[in-house]
Amino acid sequence: MLAGKRILLIIGGGIAAFKALDVIRRLRDQGAIVTPVLTRAGQEFVTPLSASALAAQKVYTDLFDLTDEAEMGHIELSRASDLVVVVPATADLMAKMANGHADDLASTLLMATDKRVLIAPAMNVRMWDHPATRRNAETLRGDGVLFAGPVEGAMACGEFGPGRMAEPEKIVAAIRDALANGPLKGRHVLVTSGPTHEPIDPVRYIANRSSGAQGGAIARALSALGAEVSFVTGPASAPRPEGVRVTEVETAEQMLNAVTASLPADAAVFAAAVADWRMETQQTGKIKKTAAGDVPALSLTENPDILAHVAHLNDMRPRLVVGFAAETDDVVAHATAKRARKGCDWIVANDVSPETGIMGGTENAVTLITEAGAEAWPRMSKDQVAARLAGKIAEALA
Ligand code: CTP
């Protein structure tokens, strides 16, 4: 259910913090990847070592840890997850969130994230009922923050009433709901990814450098917003996204068949680097060297254009068709022409010149081309490009 979902878990400083460890264990049991962040007060209740041992991940504790900044900046950390969860959310942390403070790692991550945030408040009943906390809770709800609890019950301080943290299993259920009820809930989105391999003979093939990293990240980002994702991938080196329907293919023709079989869809994103050509005739045996040293002439024929095919369908055309354009020069001009030629709604154009390091790398610098024109996005990680694109797709389908 939570397979492959990435959760940034901020552990605040309260007596209920020890229950965050149980939340980590339960999330991991369901296949989630949990990155813990401990506030300074959180470390009074839970040690970084125990959080990291249960999560099997590095724990982040301080904004000014230069090693962390070099490894993964706070902006990236705040966005490389599908959901940000705060367990427990203390009165102080809620106040910081409601007022936009960013004076430590946790509050900075909460300010910098572009993901939804779910909090599990835990505090003394009087603190929960205090007008300041009432105001802050209302502000946070208005900001779209999701709440798990608090519930009524006996407290560590001996009092009874609302303010007790929801039980770990309830928090995990709220996390599941949050991930399943995103803006793309009920939408089916098709994503193609990776290269295709076109056989030359039984042992050789034509390929390209696509790793499938961007396509996989897009599938994960769409799924995190609640979409049902059909992921059709060629032989890519990047890990397959979890929690989506994966169809593995090898050639462009197989990809076209798998794509057609996956329709109808509300939107389709064609991130695959499909080989433009395949061998004209199928070789059943390995092409051998000849005594005369003749070099074989490889006679090629054009592959079907999957994107153009789907974009020109009459009855089954997805409402939003998004293509990619891999270019090495005049990126915007070529991509704009490609958008018109292929009949798609948007083109995500990227410069794949070797010196950019984009193809096969972890970052991307894209320009989104729509009917309205070209919008250049700053260079960012492929995960961030995916999150931004998924957000735009959700807006377009709303
Ligand atoms: N595409 C596709 N089927 C093909 C070729 C490309 O679906 N046979 C899709 C890609 O997934 C991408 C878009 O078309 O979304 C553009 O791919 P790109 O390689 O940039 O363009 P080409 O069509 O190959 O054009 P050119 O070789 O002129 O750049």
Side-chain angles (χ1 to χ4, degrees), residues 31 33 89 117 144 177 187 198 227-228 239 260 333 382:
I33 301 152
V117 176
D177 280 357
R187 305 286 187 199
E198 308 296 333
E228 183 199 328
T260 311
K382 288 183 177 177

Side-chain angles (χ1 to χ4, degrees), residues 8 35 37 60 72-81 105 109:
L8 187 72
T35 303
V37 173
Y60 292 84
M72 192 193 260
H74 57 274
I75 301 288
E76 170 124 26
L77 182 59
S78 73
R79 296 182 186 171
S81 62
L105 180 58
L109 294 174

